Amino acid sequence: MSHVTPTPAPPAVPATPPPLVIAGHGTRVNAGADAATTLVEKVRGLLPGVRVEAGFVELTPPTIDAALDTVLADATSAVVVPLMIGTGGHVRDDIPEAIDASRARHLAATVVYTRHLGSPKALVNAVHARIAAARADWSAEDTDVVMVGRGCSHTDANADHVRLSRIVFETGGYHQVLSAFIQVARPSLTEILRQYHASGSRRIVVMPHFLFTGRLDQWVHQQVEEFRAAHPDTFIRIADVIGPCDELAQVVAQRYKEGALRARTTTGSPAYLTGLLLRDRKVVVVGGGCVARRRVPKLLDAGARVEVISPEVHSRLAGLAEAGAITWHARSFEPADLDGAWYVLALTDSPAANAAIVAEAETRHTYCVRADRADDGSAWTPATGDTAGVTVAAITSHDPLRARRVRDRFLEVVNQESL
């Protein structure tokens, strides 16, 4: 019987992933609120098993701290992704303040606040798609583009918008791309339209660089209509906002995965670390394959009385049995095998058998490691190493390769200390 258990690949998010709260601006415009709901559903589809909720800075319920309160009632950690393109006041002040308000009510919780959306390739591609749809039969090289941002009192946020305009220009093949702002900052949309008109531009696409439709988008349309009325010789087409598209959902999901990894790093492993003193105590190992072959010698080093239950065993285990170092019962598991056991390892290649072993151990209040589905056991086996009179151990959340790397780094540190 073979008992080889393949090493699982590290998951994109922890096995028990923290919930996600998408922190949006909020709007009085129903179409914008509906778009936010659509985006939440798309993100849920990209993150199966993750609870995804939305909260808003203003105008649309619930507030961000209320949404956090809801998810933290059932979870010990959460990830907040700001649904914001730039680093304005909402990203810097309002959302962190809402997070702090919820943290004050959930002192033991870990809340990870991720970076804003910015201008990754996926969103730049979405912008190009909106511009292409608006210009229609116009060639890119004959089209001038106005990238309209919200405008902010923070200089670097406005600079990010100007930088994006340059990226759109260099990757889109347009005749020109200039930046404008709908409020707070200059130049205004009207100022840029006048500049284009004065230079002879007659084919202009205005790109409202907003996530969803709302008051800002409405102001863009209003100002364009006023300019058209005053300049009938100029053709201006308005592109759609980015909207709840697949590209936006993918960026939000990626920001969540970054935050979930940080949450896992911040909270560490959910296991409570302790050192078992097993000398002269009975330990039952069910299964005789390669995993058992690795675990049994370490149990013997700890002085345990090891009993292996398996119809067949690895040749090394057979040798230990012949030498009298372990007791081998060449048969299938029986509940009575756990009588008097202090520690149990379910290492068979049968999920049903491992589940039965764990269940039996649970009734006896005996800690049990389950090799094929660690979360269903009551104990985990760390990656361990011995050097210079020290044993080091590392446990992660379902990432055995990382646990081994951490163990090896600690061994290096201990070795250097002993030099």
Side-chain angles (χ1 to χ4, degrees):
M1 179 181 292
S2 172
H3 301 287
V4 178
T5 302
T7 300
V13 296
T16 305
L20 163 62
V21 173
I22 301 174
H25 182 282
T27 179
R28 294 185 180 90
V29 178
N30 291 337
D34 292 342
T37 300
T38 300
L39 177 70
V40 170
E41 291 302 322
K42 285 197 172 187
V43 174
R44 284 175 178 152
L46 294 175
L47 298 172
V50 177
R51 181 177 181 180
V52 180
E53 304 292 344
F56 300 91
V57 173
E58 57 185 358
L59 304 176
T60 303
T63 61
I64 294 165
D65 59 315
L68 258 179
D69 287 345
T70 298
V71 300
L72 290 178
D74 303 311
T76 58
S77 63
V79 175
V80 177
V81 174
L83 195 65
M84 308 282 172
I85 296 172
T87 57
H90 293 323
V91 170
R92 295 166 180 262
D93 304 318
D94 298 329
I95 299 176
E97 287 174 4
I99 292 173
D100 288 343
S102 181
R103 277 178 173 152
R105 296 187 288 271
H106 304 272
L107 297 178
T110 297
V111 180
V112 173
Y113 181 39
T114 77
R115 55 184 175 141
H116 66 290
L117 303 181
S119 53
K121 184 177 180 180
L123 291 187
V124 173
N125 289 341
V127 167
H128 284 311
R130 305 299 176 273
I131 295 172
R135 62 182 174 82
D137 56 332
W138 296 350
S139 65
E141 58 267 23
D142 292 330
T143 302
D144 294 310
V145 176
V146 186
M147 292 290 298
V148 184
R150 182 172 184 268
C152 179
S153 57
H154 295 285
T155 300
D156 51 355
N158 297 328
D160 286 342
H161 177 66
V162 175
R163 175 182 176 276
L164 171 65
S165 298
R166 185 68 192 184
I167 293 173
V168 170
F169 171 66
E170 293 193 4
T171 58
Y174 312 111
H175 181 247
Q176 294 183 83
V177 178
L178 296 180
S179 304
F181 301 93
I182 200 64
Q183 59 180 190
V184 181
R186 294 185 55 206
S188 68
L189 172 56
T190 300
E191 287 173 328
I192 293 298
L193 289 176
R194 288 173 180 165
Q195 180 177 327
Y196 269 150
H197 183 268
S199 67
S201 298
R202 294 299 180 266
R203 292 182 173 181
I204 303 170
V205 170
V206 174
M207 173 66 211
H209 192 230
F210 312 132
L211 294 180
F212 308 131
T213 189
R215 293 291 295 276
L216 302 182
D217 187 33
Q218 291 175 347
W219 292 341
V220 167
H221 281 75
Q222 178 182 338
Q223 292 182 22
V224 168
E225 287 303 321
E226 292 173 354
F227 190 88
R228 280 176 177 153
H231 303 82
D233 60 333
T234 303
F235 298 97
I236 305 175
R237 296 173 178 174
I238 305 175
D240 290 334
V241 296
I242 291 174
C245 58
D246 292 342
E247 294 90 342
L248 178 57
Q250 290 163 6
V251 174
V252 172
Q254 181 57 40
R255 293 289 182 270
Y256 166 78
K257 290 176 181 179
E258 295 169 2
L261 179 61
R262 286 168 52 198
R264 182 175 68 180
T265 302
T266 301
T267 58
S269 167
Y272 178 82
L273 292 179
T274 190
L276 296 180
L277 301 178
L278 296 174
R279 179 167 300 279
D280 296 326
R281 292 182 168 93
K282 178 181 174 180
V283 174
V284 175
V285 177
V286 187
C290 291
V291 178
R293 189 266 302 169
R294 295 196 304 270
R295 303 282 174 82
V296 167
K298 292 183 177 295
L299 293 168
L300 293 176
D301 289 343
R305 293 187 289 107
V306 178
E307 296 188 13
V308 175
I309 317 295
S310 179
E312 299 177 7
V313 294
H314 189 280
S315 58
R316 185 175 180 186
L317 296 178
L320 290 173
E322 291 176 4
I326 65 173
T327 300
W328 172 26
H329 302 284
R331 54 172 172 76
S332 298
F333 170 77
E334 298 174 0
D337 290 328
L338 301 191
D339 290 348
W342 290 73
Y343 191 52
V344 180
L345 291 85
L347 309 180
T348 81
D349 54 7
S350 167
N354 287 339
I357 297 162
V358 170
E360 186 62 33
E362 191 75 11
T363 65
R364 299 165 181 261
H365 296 178
T366 303
Y367 284 103
C368 180
V369 172
R370 179 172 174 175
D372 59 332
R373 295 182 60 178
D375 277 350
D376 288 346
S378 55
W380 292 351
T381 300
T384 61
D386 302 299
T387 186
V390 175
T391 297
V392 298
I395 295 179
T396 62
S397 296
H398 316 290
D399 191 344
L401 293 178
R402 184 175 182 225
R404 292 169 197 161
R405 291 194 300 269
V406 171
R407 173 203 61 192
D408 292 343
R409 291 293 299 274
F410 273 113
L411 289 173
E412 292 176 7
V413 170
V414 174
N415 283 330
Q416 291 172 359
E417 183 186 53
S418 62
L419 293 177

PDB file of all heavy atoms in Angstrom, residues 246-264:
ATOM      1  N   ASP A 246     -14.904  43.357 -16.372  1.00  0.00           N
ATOM      2  CA  ASP A 246     -14.079  42.247 -15.902  1.00  0.00           C
ATOM      3  C   ASP A 246     -12.694  42.729 -15.469  1.00  0.00           C
ATOM      4  O   ASP A 246     -12.139  42.228 -14.484  1.00  0.00           O
ATOM      5  CB  ASP A 246     -13.926  41.199 -17.002  1.00  0.00           C
ATOM      6  CG  ASP A 246     -15.234  40.479 -17.316  1.00  0.00           C
ATOM      7  OD1 ASP A 246     -16.153  40.538 -16.471  1.00  0.00           O
ATOM      8  OD2 ASP A 246     -15.332  39.868 -18.399  1.00  0.00           O
ATOM      9  N   GLU A 247     -12.145  43.698 -16.217  1.00  0.00           N
ATOM     10  CA  GLU A 247     -10.807  44.185 -15.872  1.00  0.00           C
ATOM     11  C   GLU A 247     -10.787  44.807 -14.475  1.00  0.00           C
ATOM     12  O   GLU A 247      -9.862  44.575 -13.692  1.00  0.00           O
ATOM     13  CB  GLU A 247     -10.334  45.214 -16.904  1.00  0.00           C
ATOM     14  CG  GLU A 247     -10.110  44.666 -18.289  1.00  0.00           C
ATOM     15  CD  GLU A 247     -11.342  44.717 -19.174  1.00  0.00           C
ATOM     16  OE1 GLU A 247     -12.473  44.864 -18.615  1.00  0.00           O
ATOM     17  OE2 GLU A 247     -11.199  44.627 -20.403  1.00  0.00           O
ATOM     18  N   LEU A 248     -11.803  45.594 -14.162  1.00  0.00           N
ATOM     19  CA  LEU A 248     -11.864  46.215 -12.834  1.00  0.00           C
ATOM     20  C   LEU A 248     -12.018  45.159 -11.755  1.00  0.00           C
ATOM     21  O   LEU A 248     -11.348  45.213 -10.706  1.00  0.00           O
ATOM     22  CB  LEU A 248     -13.023  47.205 -12.782  1.00  0.00           C
ATOM     23  CG  LEU A 248     -13.256  47.900 -11.430  1.00  0.00           C
ATOM     24  CD1 LEU A 248     -12.019  48.643 -10.978  1.00  0.00           C
ATOM     25  CD2 LEU A 248     -14.461  48.854 -11.525  1.00  0.00           C
ATOM     26  N   ALA A 249     -12.871  44.183 -11.988  1.00  0.00           N
ATOM     27  CA  ALA A 249     -13.063  43.114 -11.003  1.00  0.00           C
ATOM     28  C   ALA A 249     -11.762  42.357 -10.772  1.00  0.00           C
ATOM     29  O   ALA A 249     -11.430  41.985  -9.639  1.00  0.00           O
ATOM     30  CB  ALA A 249     -14.162  42.165 -11.469  1.00  0.00           C
ATOM     31  N   GLN A 250     -11.006  42.124 -11.826  1.00  0.00           N
ATOM     32  CA  GLN A 250      -9.740  41.401 -11.692  1.00  0.00           C
ATOM     33  C   GLN A 250      -8.729  42.181 -10.865  1.00  0.00           C
ATOM     34  O   GLN A 250      -7.998  41.602 -10.050  1.00  0.00           O
ATOM     35  CB  GLN A 250      -9.172  41.109 -13.082  1.00  0.00           C
ATOM     36  CG  GLN A 250      -9.956  40.065 -13.862  1.00  0.00           C
ATOM     37  CD  GLN A 250      -9.644  40.074 -15.346  1.00  0.00           C
ATOM     38  OE1 GLN A 250      -8.756  40.797 -15.801  1.00  0.00           O
ATOM     39  NE2 GLN A 250     -10.385  39.279 -16.102  1.00  0.00           N
ATOM     40  N   VAL A 251      -8.676  43.501 -11.048  1.00  0.00           N
ATOM     41  CA  VAL A 251      -7.746  44.314 -10.256  1.00  0.00           C
ATOM     42  C   VAL A 251      -8.144  44.298  -8.788  1.00  0.00           C
ATOM     43  O   VAL A 251      -7.290  44.169  -7.892  1.00  0.00           O
ATOM     44  CB  VAL A 251      -7.686  45.753 -10.804  1.00  0.00           C
ATOM     45  CG1 VAL A 251      -6.832  46.637  -9.888  1.00  0.00           C
ATOM     46  CG2 VAL A 251      -7.111  45.763 -12.216  1.00  0.00           C
ATOM     47  N   VAL A 252      -9.441  44.426  -8.501  1.00  0.00           N
ATOM     48  CA  VAL A 252      -9.902  44.369  -7.109  1.00  0.00           C
ATOM     49  C   VAL A 252      -9.551  43.020  -6.494  1.00  0.00           C
ATOM     50  O   VAL A 252      -9.069  42.953  -5.347  1.00  0.00           O
ATOM     51  CB  VAL A 252     -11.420  44.624  -7.036  1.00  0.00           C
ATOM     52  CG1 VAL A 252     -11.933  44.380  -5.610  1.00  0.00           C
ATOM     53  CG2 VAL A 252     -11.740  46.050  -7.463  1.00  0.00           C
ATOM     54  N   ALA A 253      -9.770  41.935  -7.240  1.00  0.00           N
ATOM     55  CA  ALA A 253      -9.453  40.598  -6.728  1.00  0.00           C
ATOM     56  C   ALA A 253      -7.961  40.461  -6.458  1.00  0.00           C
ATOM     57  O   ALA A 253      -7.544  39.854  -5.458  1.00  0.00           O
ATOM     58  CB  ALA A 253      -9.923  39.528  -7.709  1.00  0.00           C
ATOM     59  N   GLN A 254      -7.132  41.039  -7.331  1.00  0.00           N
ATOM     60  CA  GLN A 254      -5.685  40.965  -7.115  1.00  0.00           C
ATOM     61  C   GLN A 254      -5.270  41.750  -5.886  1.00  0.00           C
ATOM     62  O   GLN A 254      -4.434  41.296  -5.096  1.00  0.00           O
ATOM     63  CB  GLN A 254      -4.946  41.488  -8.343  1.00  0.00           C
ATOM     64  CG  GLN A 254      -3.426  41.427  -8.225  1.00  0.00           C
ATOM     65  CD  GLN A 254      -2.906  40.029  -7.947  1.00  0.00           C
ATOM     66  OE1 GLN A 254      -3.409  39.058  -8.515  1.00  0.00           O
ATOM     67  NE2 GLN A 254      -1.924  39.914  -7.059  1.00  0.00           N
ATOM     68  N   ARG A 255      -5.851  42.935  -5.698  1.00  0.00           N
ATOM     69  CA  ARG A 255      -5.535  43.702  -4.492  1.00  0.00           C
ATOM     70  C   ARG A 255      -5.949  42.906  -3.249  1.00  0.00           C
ATOM     71  O   ARG A 255      -5.253  42.912  -2.229  1.00  0.00           O
ATOM     72  CB  ARG A 255      -6.273  45.050  -4.512  1.00  0.00           C
ATOM     73  CG  ARG A 255      -5.804  46.005  -5.603  1.00  0.00           C
ATOM     74  CD  ARG A 255      -4.415  46.547  -5.299  1.00  0.00           C
ATOM     75  NE  ARG A 255      -4.017  47.491  -6.335  1.00  0.00           N
ATOM     76  CZ  ARG A 255      -3.372  47.166  -7.450  1.00  0.00           C
ATOM     77  NH1 ARG A 255      -3.032  45.897  -7.663  1.00  0.00           N
ATOM     78  NH2 ARG A 255      -3.036  48.085  -8.335  1.00  0.00           N
ATOM     79  N   TYR A 256      -7.097  42.230  -3.334  1.00  0.00           N
ATOM     80  CA  TYR A 256      -7.529  41.416  -2.195  1.00  0.00           C
ATOM     81  C   TYR A 256      -6.509  40.318  -1.895  1.00  0.00           C
ATOM     82  O   TYR A 256      -6.163  40.085  -0.723  1.00  0.00           O
ATOM     83  CB  TYR A 256      -8.887  40.777  -2.462  1.00  0.00           C
ATOM     84  CG  TYR A 256      -9.199  39.680  -1.454  1.00  0.00           C
ATOM     85  CD1 TYR A 256      -9.624  39.993  -0.173  1.00  0.00           C
ATOM     86  CD2 TYR A 256      -8.995  38.334  -1.779  1.00  0.00           C
ATOM     87  CE1 TYR A 256      -9.853  39.010   0.764  1.00  0.00           C
ATOM     88  CE2 TYR A 256      -9.227  37.338  -0.844  1.00  0.00           C
ATOM     89  CZ  TYR A 256      -9.658  37.679   0.421  1.00  0.00           C
ATOM     90  OH  TYR A 256      -9.865  36.686   1.345  1.00  0.00           O
ATOM     91  N   LYS A 257      -6.024  39.631  -2.926  1.00  0.00           N
ATOM     92  CA  LYS A 257      -5.085  38.532  -2.709  1.00  0.00           C
ATOM     93  C   LYS A 257      -3.798  39.036  -2.060  1.00  0.00           C
ATOM     94  O   LYS A 257      -3.226  38.370  -1.187  1.00  0.00           O
ATOM     95  CB  LYS A 257      -4.796  37.821  -4.026  1.00  0.00           C
ATOM     96  CG  LYS A 257      -5.986  37.037  -4.553  1.00  0.00           C
ATOM     97  CD  LYS A 257      -5.702  36.414  -5.912  1.00  0.00           C
ATOM     98  CE  LYS A 257      -6.915  35.663  -6.429  1.00  0.00           C
ATOM     99  NZ  LYS A 257      -6.690  35.059  -7.760  1.00  0.00           N
ATOM    100  N   GLU A 258      -3.359  40.225  -2.474  1.00  0.00           N
ATOM    101  CA  GLU A 258      -2.191  40.822  -1.822  1.00  0.00           C
ATOM    102  C   GLU A 258      -2.477  41.069  -0.339  1.00  0.00           C
ATOM    103  O   GLU A 258      -1.640  40.787   0.529  1.00  0.00           O
ATOM    104  CB  GLU A 258      -1.837  42.141  -2.514  1.00  0.00           C
ATOM    105  CG  GLU A 258      -1.391  41.994  -3.960  1.00  0.00           C
ATOM    106  CD  GLU A 258      -1.322  43.343  -4.677  1.00  0.00           C
ATOM    107  OE1 GLU A 258      -1.584  44.381  -4.023  1.00  0.00           O
ATOM    108  OE2 GLU A 258      -1.022  43.359  -5.887  1.00  0.00           O
ATOM    109  N   GLY A 259      -3.662  41.603  -0.063  1.00  0.00           N
ATOM    110  CA  GLY A 259      -4.027  41.885   1.324  1.00  0.00           C
ATOM    111  C   GLY A 259      -4.230  40.631   2.141  1.00  0.00           C
ATOM    112  O   GLY A 259      -3.869  40.577   3.320  1.00  0.00           O
ATOM    113  N   ALA A 260      -4.799  39.588   1.524  1.00  0.00           N
ATOM    114  CA  ALA A 260      -5.026  38.335   2.241  1.00  0.00           C
ATOM    115  C   ALA A 260      -3.710  37.696   2.640  1.00  0.00           C
ATOM    116  O   ALA A 260      -3.591  37.112   3.724  1.00  0.00           O
ATOM    117  CB  ALA A 260      -5.851  37.378   1.382  1.00  0.00           C
ATOM    118  N   LEU A 261      -2.714  37.811   1.769  1.00  0.00           N
ATOM    119  CA  LEU A 261      -1.395  37.284   2.112  1.00  0.00           C
ATOM    120  C   LEU A 261      -0.808  38.043   3.291  1.00  0.00           C
ATOM    121  O   LEU A 261      -0.235  37.453   4.206  1.00  0.00           O
ATOM    122  CB  LEU A 261      -0.464  37.377   0.903  1.00  0.00           C
ATOM    123  CG  LEU A 261       0.967  36.877   1.119  1.00  0.00           C
ATOM    124  CD1 LEU A 261       0.960  35.396   1.508  1.00  0.00           C
ATOM    125  CD2 LEU A 261       1.802  37.088  -0.137  1.00  0.00           C
ATOM    126  N   ARG A 262      -0.981  39.361   3.299  1.00  0.00           N
ATOM    127  CA  ARG A 262      -0.502  40.151   4.433  1.00  0.00           C
ATOM    128  C   ARG A 262      -1.262  39.800   5.711  1.00  0.00           C
ATOM    129  O   ARG A 262      -0.687  39.758   6.801  1.00  0.00           O
ATOM    130  CB  ARG A 262      -0.641  41.630   4.135  1.00  0.00           C
ATOM    131  CG  ARG A 262       0.383  42.168   3.156  1.00  0.00           C
ATOM    132  CD  ARG A 262       0.030  43.559   2.684  1.00  0.00           C
ATOM    133  NE  ARG A 262      -0.230  44.462   3.795  1.00  0.00           N
ATOM    134  CZ  ARG A 262      -0.877  45.613   3.669  1.00  0.00           C
ATOM    135  NH1 ARG A 262      -1.344  45.981   2.489  1.00  0.00           N
ATOM    136  NH2 ARG A 262      -1.061  46.388   4.720  1.00  0.00           N
ATOM    137  N   ALA A 263      -2.565  39.546   5.579  1.00  0.00           N
ATOM    138  CA  ALA A 263      -3.354  39.170   6.757  1.00  0.00           C
ATOM    139  C   ALA A 263      -2.855  37.859   7.329  1.00  0.00           C
ATOM    140  O   ALA A 263      -2.744  37.690   8.540  1.00  0.00           O
ATOM    141  CB  ALA A 263      -4.832  39.051   6.378  1.00  0.00           C
ATOM    142  N   ARG A 264      -2.538  36.930   6.434  1.00  0.00           N
ATOM    143  CA  ARG A 264      -2.015  35.649   6.898  1.00  0.00           C
ATOM    144  C   ARG A 264      -0.671  35.839   7.577  1.00  0.00           C
ATOM    145  O   ARG A 264      -0.378  35.226   8.608  1.00  0.00           O
ATOM    146  CB  ARG A 264      -1.868  34.695   5.698  1.00  0.00           C
ATOM    147  CG  ARG A 264      -1.366  33.320   6.076  1.00  0.00           C
ATOM    148  CD  ARG A 264      -1.359  32.393   4.871  1.00  0.00           C
ATOM    149  NE  ARG A 264      -0.369  32.804   3.890  1.00  0.00           N
ATOM    150  CZ  ARG A 264      -0.167  32.150   2.748  1.00  0.00           C
ATOM    151  NH1 ARG A 264      -0.916  31.112   2.439  1.00  0.00           N
ATOM    152  NH2 ARG A 264       0.752  32.569   1.901  1.00  0.00           N
TER     153      ARG A 264
END
